Amino acid sequence: MKQFFFATTAKGVEEALAAELVRLGVSDVSVESGGARFAGGMEAAYRANLWLRSASRVLMTLAEFPCETPEELYRGVRGVSWERFLTPELTLAVDCNLRDSALTHSGFVALKTKDAIVDALRDHYGSRPSVDTKDPDLRVNVRLFKNRCTLSLDLSGEPLDRRGYRLDRHEAPLKENLAAALVELSGWDGSTPLVDPMCGTGTIAIEAALKALRIPPGLNRRFGFQRWQGFDRALWERIVAEARAGMLERLPAPVQGTDLSHSAVGMAAQNAQRAGVLQHLVLGRLPMAELTPPPGPGVLIVNPPYGKRLGEQEALRPLYKEIGDTLKQRCKGYTAYLFTGNLELAKSVGLKATRRMVLYNGPIECRLLKYEMY
């Protein structure tokens, strides 16, 4: 049966996510604010969860209706055949996102939605399921935007950026799906070297290696849909087996991550080990000014600190200048990408960007700046 799904992502990444969906071969892909819509059966949904690198969640749309009052919300939610998805033995949780609507309190909307679901199930079964906000069997998503309610089921469970390899959190690390989006937006296809000269705990290099080795990002984790009624285990196992069969034994070109910090490089190695790509990466401690990338052409992605606190900005100017100098002197033939939340500091790089992409790192408006190094 054809269903409609919505994959969510960070603001600015929607086009990259849609391109991933098209490559997966799913149908009716369209870009929307905050994600991409697509259609298909459960096979398409299973594949999306396993393979999407830049998505945060995959949601299955159940109903859409106009909603300006608590009564309209209750009626709309109650109208869904919840017994298809829930029994009194299973647990549920409700997440809510709302914007530009008459109903303004997300906690109230979530509670009203939960009431409608449990009332419908009590009428059907004579008893009701319990709520478990931490680890529910079924996660329901309510989105209210301009007085229109979209009711969905969350197939992913834990957000998709939680790949399971990153236990060591350094200061302000990039989420795995945003790191993957930077690799995607750089156009890197794995056939040339990729270098991250300020790799921190290694997320960009690890995501690049996973992509080039054709390892699905969801290979070593569990998903919400695996606890659903009607979960098709045989179909899921076939999709995973097919993915494993397509994985590569070695990288087509080197992926290199270096950093000034000993502890960061140590954590990067541990993360890469858990992700199963350590033996494929070149990791090491190196100051930016001593960077020696493999011969170009290649892609370099750097995510320096943004200096959000007072006084930090001035202290970081020399670092940004050093990035620019190193690119000019040592990265001939490379296409370089600088990801920063501080446009003032980016000026200190001293190079003219050939492209500027607006992305969000959480609430921070950032730029991915592209430089061609001839």
Side-chain angles (χ1 to χ4, degrees):
M1 193 177 82
K2 193 174 185 180
Q3 252 335 124
F4 287 93
F5 302 96
F6 186 70
T8 68
T9 192
K11 222 166 138 186
V13 180
E14 295 94 344
E15 296 280 352
L17 174 59
E20 280 196 84
L21 283 163
V22 169
R23 285 203 302 274
L24 268 184
V26 300
S27 60
D28 304 336
V29 177
S30 61
V31 174
E32 291 186 21
S33 171
R37 205 167 280 284
F38 66 101
M42 289 314 284
E43 180 166 352
Y46 289 1
R47 283 186 192 283
N49 274 281
L50 180 67
W51 279 107
L52 289 178
R53 298 181 192 280
S54 59
S56 305
R57 296 185 176 279
V58 178
L59 306 172
M60 180 169 97
T61 311
L62 295 182
E64 288 192 50
F65 49 89
C67 176
E68 291 188 36
T69 65
E71 294 71 32
E72 282 183 313
L73 175 67
Y74 184 89
R75 259 201 320 275
V77 175
R78 181 100 196 223
V80 172
S81 310
W82 289 103
E83 68 279 2
R84 285 167 52 205
F85 309 107
L86 273 167
T87 67
E89 291 71 48
L90 298 174
T91 56
L92 88 142
V94 179
D95 294 334
C96 173
N97 314 86
L98 47 85
R99 215 169 87 220
D100 308 339
S101 294
L103 297 174
T104 55
H105 193 287
S106 58
F108 172 78
V109 170
L111 192 65
K112 200 76 180 160
T113 301
K114 185 267 298 174
D115 288 347
I117 296 170
V118 298
D119 289 353
L121 288 162
R122 192 187 282 117
D123 284 1
H124 187 86
Y125 290 109
S127 61
R128 50 156 286 181
S130 330
V131 170
D132 179 348
T133 51
K134 292 267 185 290
D135 187 30
D137 294 311
L138 191 77
R139 199 173 271 284
V140 178
N141 185 282
V142 191
R143 182 172 184 258
L144 258 181
F145 180 56
K146 295 190 173 167
N147 296 319
R148 192 152 183 84
C149 180
T150 306
L151 201 57
S152 308
L153 296 184
D154 182 342
L155 286 123
S156 304
E158 278 239 74
L160 294 177
D161 61 271
R162 309 230 174 113
R163 318 271 207 240
Y165 66 74
R166 198 169 74 181
L167 304 183
D168 296 313
R169 304 252 161 190
H170 216 45
E171 271 194 38
L174 275 185
K175 278 188 174 173
E176 292 88 327
N177 58 342
L178 183 55
L182 299 183
V183 174
E184 177 72 30
L185 289 165
S186 76
W188 183 73
D189 61 2
S191 66
T192 60
L194 182 130
V195 175
D196 178 357
M198 296 180 73
C199 72
T201 55
T203 313
I204 291 172
I206 291 168
E207 289 297 323
L210 289 172
K211 179 180 177 169
L213 291 162
R214 298 184 197 159
I215 298 173
L219 193 62
N220 296 314
R221 54 159 284 166
R222 289 186 62 73
F223 297 95
F225 63 76
Q226 289 174 278
R227 291 161 70 169
W228 287 15
Q229 294 194 100
F231 165 56
D232 190 337
R233 187 177 300 282
L235 172 62
W236 174 244
E237 285 173 357
R238 176 169 70 74
I239 290 168
V240 172
E242 206 180 275
R244 285 188 187 279
M247 284 159 38
L248 301 183
E249 301 259 314
R250 60 177 60 87
L251 282 174
V255 173
Q256 177 179 308
T258 53
D259 199 279
L260 189 56
S261 157
H262 266 302
S263 70
V265 174
M267 286 184 209
Q270 288 171 1
N271 289 341
Q273 176 81 47
R274 278 188 289 268
V277 297
L278 179 60
Q279 71 276 30
H280 300 281
L281 295 179
V282 182
L283 293 174
R285 184 184 170 275
L286 201 66
M288 184 79 196
E290 290 172 28
L291 179 70
T292 41
V299 168
L300 181 144
I301 303 175
V302 60
N303 172 40
Y306 309 158
K308 280 289 155 208
R309 288 189 287 277
L310 210 63
E312 284 184 341
Q313 186 163 308
E314 280 315 305
L316 285 169
R317 271 189 206 286
L319 176 66
Y320 277 70
K321 182 182 180 307
E322 185 177 40
I323 290 169
D325 292 346
T326 305
L327 292 179
K328 278 184 286 212
Q329 290 154 17
R330 294 173 165 264
C331 299
K332 193 172 159 44
Y334 270 72
T335 305
Y337 291 84
L338 176 86
F339 184 59
T340 182
N342 193 320
L343 283 179
E344 197 46 50
L345 280 173
K347 290 176 187 169
S348 300
V349 171
L351 295 167
K352 192 166 169 43
T354 57
R355 193 170 169 212
R356 300 164 161 261
M357 293 169 252
V358 180
L359 303 176
Y360 280 75
N361 184 359
I364 305 169
E365 185 182 321
C366 298
R367 294 290 184 281
L368 182 61
L369 303 170
K370 178 182 182 179
Y371 305 99
E372 301 287 358
M373 307 314 304
Y374 299 111

